[in-house]
Amino acid sequence: MFLVGAGPGDPELLTMKAAQLLRQADAVLYDRLISAEVLRLVRPGSLLECVGKAPGGRGWTQPQIHQELIALAYRFHTVVRLKGGDPFVFGRGGEEAWALHQAGVPVEIVPGLSSALSAPTVAGVPVTHRGISASVLVVDGHNPDRLEWPMLSGTKATLVFLMAVGTITTIAERLAIFGKPGNTPVAILERTSTAHERVIKTTLAQISQVINVQHIENPAVIVIGETVGVLPSVAELRQGKLSEAVRCR
Ligand code: SAH
């Protein structure tokens, strides 16, 4: 059994190992966020099964997923459990690896590019920058009551929130209450590395309104911190001034 990270969406951002396993697999069990482009790499004729859960919605329970994985391990030679991003970053990959190990199923884990770090990079948002931020905190935003707000508000670390679209109003309020300045730059990175990607830059004070007005939907990564303001947009970065300079000569 291979527990494989699929990266943020663009099939070119898969590891070579992941792409090769998808071409070999007899069965692939995948999550809801896996892109259609990535699934197209799966060998025709192999079993493809979605075990996705919508946020807060009904779907497969974790024990059901474990049972299905174990059953597939008995039925097929090469089984891939494909998870968005990296299997060990908010992916419940640890639980699945443990359940498989307990059941005696050999497991190999293949890392993927986590959206936590790859979405900012794809969007031209550095998460560290010399002299501005020397650390990054990757935070699960879906249950704000569990988070340490004085620490999150006071730190100079760049904050990278996942699963935070539905809770962003509370997150912004708590950060403000504990002293994070309202003008702290924020980047909303929606469906990064897919055809529908959007990058919206705003401030902490404005973020809640922006998310509503722009109808931001899951999945999105929200980056909060001074590094957000360091670079121009990726479109500007791509353009450069070189062509103009060459024309002038
Ligand atoms: N294991 C995954 C994270 C799973 S939690 C990883 O390493 O990326 C699901 C959250 O990931 C979403 O709520 C969203 O915050 C983020 N996410 C996943 N894919 C994304 C994408 N293409 N663009 C922006 N955010 C994404």
Side-chain angles (χ1 to χ4, degrees):
M1 171 83 53
F2 294 88
L3 204 55
V4 178
D10 180 352
E12 292 195 338
L13 295 179
L14 282 167
T15 61
M16 290 171 84
K17 197 163 187 171
Q20 194 186 341
L21 282 166
L22 291 180
R23 285 192 289 264
Q24 281 173 5
D26 304 306
V28 177
L29 215 72
Y30 65 97
D31 286 337
R32 198 180 50 89
L33 284 179
I34 302 295
S35 70
E37 290 78 8
V38 166
L39 292 176
R40 249 175 247 137
L41 295 178
V42 176
R43 187 171 60 81
S46 60
L47 179 86
L48 251 183
E49 201 171 359
C50 179
V51 290
K53 296 182 255 208
R58 269 188 260 145
W60 290 59
T61 63
Q62 201 59 42
Q64 282 171 337
I65 293 173
H66 296 167
Q67 268 173 11
E68 182 66 1
L69 285 171
I70 294 161
L72 290 175
Y74 279 97
R75 260 176 74 196
F76 294 104
H77 184 259
T78 307
V79 181
V80 167
R81 169 65 173 123
L82 190 63
K83 305 183 78 71
D86 185 275
F88 281 2
V89 179
F90 303 138
R92 307 192 75 162
E95 288 164 64
E96 292 180 18
W98 178 246
L100 288 163
H101 179 67
Q102 289 285 88
V105 178
V107 193
E108 194 174 323
I109 300 150
V110 180
L113 282 180
S114 175
S115 63
L117 295 182
S118 63
T121 301
V122 168
V125 174
V127 288
T128 65
H129 198 79
R130 189 177 283 266
I132 295 183
S133 174
S135 47
V136 189
L137 278 167
V138 177
V139 188
D140 170 358
H142 102 278
N143 190 348
D145 287 338
R146 291 213 195 116
L147 298 174
E148 297 167 61
W149 294 106
M151 183 274 288
L152 291 173
S153 303
T155 181
K156 279 195 164 23
T158 306
L159 305 179
V160 176
F161 278 94
L162 274 67
M163 296 176 276
V165 171
T167 49
I168 196 63
T169 305
T170 311
I171 290 171
E173 272 170 15
R174 303 260 169 104
L175 288 172
I177 289 169
F178 287 96
K180 182 80 83 193
N183 62 0
T184 307
V186 172
I188 305 160
L189 317 173
E190 187 190 31
R191 298 195 234 178
T192 310
S193 96
T194 73
H196 309 284
E197 77 179 5
R198 282 198 289 176
V199 177
I200 296 171
K201 290 188 181 174
T202 178
T203 61
L204 190 57
Q206 297 288 323
I207 187 173
S208 202
Q209 197 191 343
V210 169
I211 291 230
N212 283 326
V213 172
Q214 302 279 345
H215 303 291
I216 303 291
E217 282 178 15
N218 271 310
V221 166
I222 298 168
V223 186
I224 304 177
E226 296 298 331
T227 60
V228 167
V230 162
L231 290 181
S233 70
V234 276
E236 285 170 84
L237 287 172
R238 267 191 212 123
Q239 239 172 357
K241 292 249 189 291
L242 202 56
S243 49
E244 234 170 75
V246 171
R247 237 186 297 134
C248 290
R249 257 193 294 139

